[in-house]
Amino acid sequence: MHQVREVRAPTILLLEDSNIDAELITLQLERTDRRFLIVRATERASYVARLGDADVVLADYSVPGFEGMEALDLCQDRAPDTPFIFVSGVIGEEFATDALKRGATDYVVKHRLNRLPAALDRALNEADERRRARLAEGRLGESQRRLQATVDNVQVGILEVEPVTGIILRANPALHRMLGYGDQSLVGLQATSILLDGEGRESAAKTPPAGTRVVRQEKRLVGQAGKVIWADMSSVFVVGSGAARGYVLTSILDITNRKHTEEALRESELKLRLAAEAARLGNWEFDPRNGRLVLDERCRSLCGFSSDEPVDYQTFIRRCHLDDRPRLRTAIAEALRAGSSGRLAQEFRTITRERRLFWLAILGQAVMENGISTRFVGFLQDITRQKRTEEALLRSNEVLEARVLERTLQRDRTWQLSRDLMMVADPQLVPVAVNPAWSAILDWTESELFKLGIIELLHPDDEGVVQEELQRLRKGLTTQSFEARLRHRDDNYRTISWTWVLAEGSIYAVGRDVTDEKLAHDRLRQAQKIETIGQLTGGVAHDFNNLLTVIVGNLESVHRHLRKMPDGPAAVRIERAAENAMQGAQRASVLTQRLLAFSRRQPLRPRSLDLNKLISGMSDLLIRTLGAHITIDVVPASDLWFAMADPNQLENSILNLAVNARDAMSGGGRLTIATANITLDRSQTLQIPELPPGQYVTVGIYDTGSGMSAETIARAFEPFFTTKDVGHGTGLGLSQVYGFVKQSGGHVRITSDLGQGTLVRIYLPREMTIAEEADGGSAAPMAAPGSEGNEMILVVEDNEEVRAYSASVLQELGYSVVQAANGAAALQALRHNSEIRLLFTDVGLPEGMNGRQLADAARDEWPEIKVLFTSGYEDGAVTRDHRVEVDVDLISKPFSYQDLAERVRAALDSRRAGDTPSRFRIGPSA
């Protein structure tokens, strides 16, 4: 039986950085009848490494850090016979022309990939034609060498010429036949007569000096009937012996045919000559009988001998590398041994006088006569480059084998250690192999997965998506990244982002668990939503504070004036109406403070707190607020750490949560308030991503009420969201708690199930300083303090109604008042009124100068001036980390008549401003 020779599939080097484009090209080629081995490169290093093994190159116009033209130039330089085809989506006519001029075989645009198979076949066929042409050239060269050998061995014409007269003394039959003469008809003729048109007669007539080397010439000779031949003439002067005269002996070789083919073969001979020189071939001859060694110039050059340096066998051997001498001696002795084949073939190293090392190949054949070697001839060849190439190839193979092994190990390690799901499945999605990540992520064993199958684990809602992707694969289309959920052993589902590839009848799938990622994304979106709402509510609350300042202040003025009026029905009605209006304004003020708390724009005055003591102090308030049908349990932690927070806001937050819990226990129940220390490490904060690792003090409020659904928990902190009936809640209680806790650097979490009660846990950062004692009980109300003399106050407020109200109250208290609407006007007023003792300024001022900057500028010029700030909105001007600076005097809007009177008096009576520089002071004291 004849053995079928396997045809090697051509290797295609695909330079393409786009996975999608590479897949499209591969699919296009797979549709053809011809098979290819496609090797892909995405950057310069991998392209250069694989270029030598490619039968054809397909290259994109541009990949990151590597241009297509540079890839073409590298191919032309390192693999000039390899076809190069551009496959790109940006090929224009000018680029295509330039690419073809620089050596590209063809080009194909990506939106017409159907042209690629034909272009590829054409390029490979042209490459095959070039290889066959080179083979034909080699055969032609071999033929030429055989022709030359034939010419060298034909019968040679011999001519003897008298050196003085130039008369032909003798000519052999071969020469007569060569020139078409009969026997002896050339004898007696002038030797120059057979030269065509006397060509070179003078040089031909010259007698070679005795003892010189052979003189060789090529001449055209003419014979009978005008026959012209080209002759290779070698002449030497033969000295006569005794009375005989000397003569010129010339051998003549008919080289007419060679001359006729010389023109056609000239280029080939030039290449052959250059190749011989490049191969550094040299001839040698050794006579074993006398030890005489003859080396030609090339051999001498290869071995490092000068032209006139005497060389014998021993000298030659000593020039060999010390380690190679024994082996070379043994091989030569074996070739010269009687009965041997006489063949010598060895490789050895030689070291020149310049200490340069060469690798040489020596080939020889011994001539035997009667069993004795009488002649030993051969040649030397420089194989240094070949040896270095072999060594480099050996090292490369070793490196390649190591890399292949390493890559295999890497793939195994990737399969074993990857946290992504990896699977090989049949086209029906029945798993053939799965990596350990399946067990780690889904808690199914490998045998269970094979038994259940992937379809069984799919979420019912995702089966349609998976079937669509399977259809795409079967049609030869590339699957895009898609998501499908798989069932965990605990019956929950994990969301997996999949990428599938169909190759060689199997589906290769990689899936990444994005469940936590999607949850984090949802949390981030919710946080951004709350932040946006917070900014809106903060702005609304700021404007409400200004309105409430005017409303509350004027209602207080009505109360004060009513006290001076005589009693009567009208006065009673007016007072009742004013009280109702004041109650409404106070509720609006509470609502505004909750808006500010949610938006994290309320000024805080935090201090180190003992939460156990704070909660204990709230016990009576909680009992009165929650009622007798609610049982309250307080579980204080022993050795509780201190926390940093605003005590009033924290009490409000706890009270809000307690009221919400009461409303959830309409039929009565139990409320538990517990404190605890907790340390969160990095792994624990994965469950609470809003908190960094660290130490926290927690307050947990747990009720036995109706509980919340997951949808309610997701929206619980949104302002104005409430599950209560209309008129029974503003929806700002939890929003206020959320804003205050976040502003304090903590976090609040809700854990609940319908019918199972609710746990709200507040996390506050641990404070290392000792808790500060709370202020004593509220002092009994006292009369509003007024001016103690001729005291002037500068009121700076951009809201005209608030400014007018503030000025009116201060004037009623006996102060002189100067008003300004912005910072620039305030500085002008200060420069024109040296009696001003107090700067009462809003923090948020227009026209590029806020209240803090105004205070700094004023203190730079008037160090003794006192400053009282007012604000209904914390914007960071007089706070640090949302906390009011220790030595900043601030009264929050809306303020009452009594509050304003007391705070102004306290500011005027405080120590001189120069005694204790403000913490936020910028300019130097005057």
Side-chain angles (χ1 to χ4, degrees):
M1 295 180 62
H2 294 287
Q3 185 176 4
V4 179
R5 183 180 179 184
E6 184 179 355
V7 179
R8 184 180 69 85
T11 299
I12 296 175
L13 176 56
L14 175 59
L15 178 60
E16 176 59 68
D17 62 312
S18 168
N19 291 334
I20 294 177
D21 288 347
E23 185 68 16
L24 288 174
I25 291 170
T26 301
L27 290 174
Q28 186 67 43
L29 295 178
E30 287 177 351
R31 293 192 179 103
T32 66
D33 294 332
R34 194 167 183 176
R35 297 296 88 194
F36 301 95
L37 174 61
I38 299 175
V39 179
R40 185 178 170 199
T42 58
E43 34 72 49
R44 177 190 176 98
S46 58
Y47 171 80
V48 172
R50 296 166 181 165
L51 184 58
D53 298 327
D55 293 308
V56 63
V57 176
L58 302 182
D60 194 0
Y61 172 69
S62 177
V63 295
F66 191 32
E67 294 297 327
M69 283 300 188
E70 185 181 357
L72 173 58
D73 292 340
L74 282 171
C75 182
Q76 291 287 303
D77 180 56
R78 303 190 180 193
D81 292 338
T82 301
F84 189 100
I85 300 176
F86 275 107
V87 182
S88 179
V90 295
I91 294 179
E93 183 176 351
E94 182 178 351
F95 168 79
T97 302
D98 187 37
L100 292 176
K101 287 181 178 179
R102 289 174 66 168
T105 306
D106 205 342
Y107 65 91
V108 177
V109 291
K110 287 184 177 177
H111 63 270
R112 295 187 64 187
L113 284 178
N114 58 327
R115 287 190 59 247
L116 182 57
L120 194 58
D121 284 342
R122 186 166 55 252
L124 288 171
N125 289 337
E126 290 175 1
D128 288 340
E129 286 297 326
R130 286 193 295 272
R131 281 191 286 271
R132 283 194 289 270
R134 285 197 304 274
L135 182 59
E137 289 175 3
R139 289 174 179 171
L140 177 60
E142 180 63 21
S143 176
Q144 291 165 354
R145 286 190 293 274
R146 290 179 179 177
L147 176 61
Q148 186 65 48
T150 301
V151 172
D152 289 342
N153 288 280
V154 296
Q155 193 174 10
V156 177
I158 303 297
L159 184 68
E160 294 180 7
V161 179
E162 204 285 324
V164 178
T165 62
I167 300 297
I168 297 175
L169 301 176
R170 185 178 296 109
N172 69 341
L175 181 58
H176 284 82
R177 290 193 300 272
M178 197 181 296
L179 296 176
Y181 284 88
D183 291 346
Q184 304 302 321
S185 61
L186 286 174
V187 176
L189 297 179
Q190 285 285 336
T192 56
S193 65
I194 63 174
L195 295 176
L196 180 63
D197 298 329
E199 185 177 281
R201 289 181 177 180
E202 291 184 3
S203 61
K206 288 182 179 179
T207 301
T212 61
R213 291 181 297 177
V214 174
V215 175
R216 188 173 179 178
Q217 303 177 81
E218 289 184 356
K219 300 294 182 181
R220 284 184 295 176
L221 305 182
V222 60
Q224 289 282 31
K227 180 182 180 181
V228 177
I229 65 169
W230 272 97
D232 183 348
M233 303 170 63
S234 298
S235 302
V236 63
F237 181 74
V238 180
V239 179
S241 58
R245 299 178 62 184
Y247 59 91
V248 176
L249 177 64
T250 301
S251 64
I252 299 175
L253 181 66
D254 186 354
I255 59 170
T256 305
N257 291 336
R258 191 193 73 190
K259 281 293 186 178
H260 287 168
T261 59
E262 240 179 18
E263 196 67 28
L265 299 178
R266 184 173 300 158
E267 184 176 351
S268 176
E269 288 179 346
L270 177 60
K271 292 180 180 178
L272 289 173
R273 187 166 56 254
L274 293 175
E277 291 178 359
R280 298 175 63 84
L281 294 176
N283 296 316
W284 56 267
E285 182 174 348
F286 176 61
D287 189 339
R289 295 168 299 183
N290 56 26
R292 182 172 176 268
L293 177 63
V294 178
L295 303 177
D296 69 0
E297 289 299 323
R298 182 57 55 83
C299 279
R300 287 178 173 271
S301 175
L302 290 175
C303 296
F305 296 118
S306 62
S307 300
D308 55 355
E309 183 177 356
V311 178
D312 58 15
Y313 173 74
Q314 295 301 330
T315 306
F316 173 78
I317 290 295
R318 283 196 298 270
R319 189 55 55 89
C320 299
H321 193 282
L322 184 63
D323 295 340
D324 297 338
R325 291 176 191 174
R327 175 172 49 83
L328 187 57
R329 288 180 189 272
T330 301
I332 293 174
E334 176 61 23
L336 297 177
R337 182 179 60 81
S340 71
S341 64
R343 291 280 297 169
L344 172 66
Q346 287 289 317
E347 295 176 352
F348 65 94
R349 291 164 290 179
T350 181
I351 302 176
T352 66
R353 285 194 178 89
E354 295 80 16
R355 309 306 298 169
R356 296 178 61 191
L357 184 143
F358 290 94
W359 271 97
L360 300 180
I362 183 169
L363 293 177
Q365 179 66 52
V367 179
M368 301 292 184
E369 294 181 6
N370 300 321
I372 299 175
S373 176
T374 59
R375 189 168 173 238
F376 194 20
V377 296
F379 65 85
L380 284 176
Q381 182 181 17
D382 183 359
I383 59 170
T384 305
R385 181 176 297 179
Q386 175 184 335
K387 277 292 184 181
R388 290 173 180 170
T389 302
E390 289 174 358
E391 292 171 359
L393 182 59
L394 180 60
R395 289 194 298 270
S396 177
N397 288 337
E398 292 173 351
V399 171
L400 181 59
E401 289 175 1
R403 287 179 178 173
V404 169
L405 178 60
E406 178 61 24
R407 288 176 183 173
T408 302
L409 293 174
Q410 287 175 354
R411 279 194 287 268
D412 290 343
R413 284 194 292 267
T414 300
W415 179 269
Q416 293 294 327
L417 301 178
S418 176
R419 300 179 65 181
D420 290 340
L421 302 182
M422 296 183 176
M423 174 184 68
V424 182
D426 67 12
Q428 284 70 45
L429 213 59
V430 175
V432 176
V434 294
N435 71 332
W438 287 78
S439 298
I441 294 175
L442 299 176
D443 202 23
W444 297 107
T445 65
E446 184 175 324
S447 58
E448 288 173 331
L449 287 168
F450 290 154
K451 182 178 179 181
L452 289 170
I454 304 304
I455 299 297
E456 180 65 25
L457 296 179
L458 276 175
H459 192 285
D461 294 343
D462 294 340
E463 289 183 7
V465 175
V466 170
Q467 291 300 329
E468 288 179 7
E469 293 300 326
L470 285 174
Q471 289 299 323
R472 286 175 57 85
L473 286 178
R474 290 164 187 158
K475 293 177 181 178
L477 302 176
T478 303
T479 66
Q480 306 298 326
S481 178
F482 68 96
E483 292 181 356
R485 290 163 288 181
L486 294 179
R487 178 161 50 89
H488 192 275
R489 181 183 289 277
D490 62 7
D491 287 334
N492 290 315
Y493 284 88
R494 305 293 294 180
T495 302
I496 310 297
S497 177
W498 290 103
T499 300
W500 289 356
V501 174
L502 180 63
E504 299 176 353
S506 296
I507 295 175
Y508 295 85
V510 177
R512 184 166 57 88
D513 184 359
V514 295
T515 309
D516 296 336
E517 220 175 272
K518 290 177 70 67
L519 180 60
H521 178 73
D522 292 341
R523 286 174 176 168
L524 175 62
R525 184 169 55 188
Q526 179 68 10
Q528 291 172 337
K529 176 182 176 182
I530 291 178
E531 182 68 22
T532 302
I533 297 174
Q535 293 176 357
L536 174 63
T537 56
V540 171
H542 173 263
D543 292 339
F544 263 90
N545 268 332
N546 281 334
L547 294 174
L548 288 172
T549 299
V550 177
I551 293 170
V552 171
N554 283 286
L555 287 174
E556 286 184 334
S557 295
V558 171
H559 272 292
R560 290 196 305 275
H561 287 88
L562 281 173
R563 295 192 190 103
K564 300 175 183 178
M565 293 175 60
D567 294 336
V572 172
R573 285 196 302 274
I574 293 172
E575 185 172 7
R576 186 179 301 114
E579 287 177 354
N580 291 337
M582 179 62 76
Q583 290 175 2
Q586 289 172 345
R587 286 196 296 272
S589 177
V590 171
L591 179 63
T592 303
Q593 292 307 311
R594 289 182 174 180
L595 288 173
L596 286 173
F598 170 74
S599 64
R600 287 173 265 174
R601 290 294 186 268
Q602 61 178 345
L604 298 181
R605 296 184 180 275
R607 65 169 183 257
S608 182
L609 298 176
D610 182 339
L611 298 192
N612 287 340
K613 186 178 294 185
L614 181 140
I615 293 170
S616 176
M618 293 179 64
S619 58
D620 292 341
L621 174 62
L622 290 171
I623 292 171
R624 289 195 308 271
T625 303
L626 302 186
H629 65 295
I630 304 296
T631 301
I632 303 174
D633 290 335
V634 177
V635 184
S638 60
D639 299 323
L640 187 68
W641 298 331
F642 301 129
M644 177 64 74
D646 186 316
N648 293 328
Q649 293 298 332
L650 182 56
E651 287 179 353
N652 286 339
S653 296
I654 294 173
L655 184 60
N656 270 325
L657 295 174
V659 170
N660 276 355
R662 178 199 66 189
D663 294 342
M665 299 182 288
S666 56
R670 181 177 297 275
L671 178 72
T672 303
I673 303 176
T675 59
N677 298 326
I678 185 170
T679 300
L680 299 179
D681 59 24
R682 189 170 299 278
S683 62
Q684 291 171 308
T685 56
L686 294 176
Q687 305 299 320
I688 314 176
E690 296 85 357
L691 287 176
Q695 294 180 323
Y696 296 88
V697 182
T698 69
V699 180
I701 295 91
Y702 173 71
D703 66 66
T704 59
S706 57
M708 300 184 193
S709 66
E711 292 76 11
T712 301
I713 293 174
R715 300 189 60 193
F717 295 127
E718 294 182 12
F720 307 114
F721 174 77
T722 180
T723 57
K724 301 175 184 177
D725 295 335
V726 176
H728 292 276
T730 62
L732 286 172
L734 286 177
S735 304
Q736 177 189 8
V737 174
Y738 177 85
F740 157 68
V741 174
K742 298 297 285 186
Q743 193 174 354
S744 301
H747 184 59
V748 57
R749 296 188 76 196
I750 300 176
T751 305
S752 181
D753 286 305
L754 287 175
Q756 300 299 317
T758 300
L759 169 62
V760 181
R761 188 183 299 276
I762 295 174
Y763 295 79
L764 293 171
R766 179 185 181 182
E767 173 62 32
M768 302 306 294
T769 58
I770 298 176
E772 302 173 19
E773 292 296 329
D775 296 336
S778 300
M782 56 182 294
S787 175
E788 296 180 355
N790 186 20
E791 296 172 309
M792 183 176 291
I793 298 174
L794 172 59
V795 178
V796 187
E797 170 65 60
D798 60 311
N799 186 289
E800 185 175 352
E801 291 81 4
V802 176
R803 185 172 68 250
Y805 164 71
S806 301
S808 173
V809 170
L810 292 173
Q811 288 170 345
E812 186 177 336
L813 291 170
Y815 297 103
S816 300
V817 178
V818 178
Q819 300 182 43
N822 53 58
L827 291 176
Q828 285 293 107
L830 285 169
R831 294 187 180 99
H832 290 86
N833 297 276
S834 58
E835 299 85 2
I836 295 175
R837 292 189 56 206
L838 174 68
L839 171 63
F840 178 45
T841 178
D842 189 13
V843 174
L845 294 176
E847 301 183 17
M849 179 181 287
N850 60 32
R852 172 175 175 167
Q853 293 167 332
L854 171 62
D856 288 341
R859 281 174 169 155
D860 281 343
E861 292 192 43
W862 301 279
E864 299 295 329
I865 196 169
K866 310 297 177 63
V867 178
L868 175 62
F869 293 100
T870 182
S871 178
Y873 183 81
E874 190 273 299
D875 62 356
V878 295
T879 59
R880 180 177 298 171
D881 297 329
H882 306 291
R883 304 173 182 182
V884 178
E885 294 282 356
V886 175
D887 42 7
V888 169
D889 207 355
L890 173 70
I891 180 171
S892 297
K893 296 178 183 179
F895 46 76
S896 66
Y897 176 87
Q898 183 75 23
D899 289 341
L900 180 60
E902 292 177 356
R903 296 299 294 275
V904 167
R905 187 69 263 161
L908 287 168
D909 294 343
S910 65
R911 291 187 300 170
R912 296 169 61 250
D915 294 343
T916 305
S918 172
R919 186 175 297 179
F920 59 81
R921 178 175 174 78
I922 298 175
S925 300

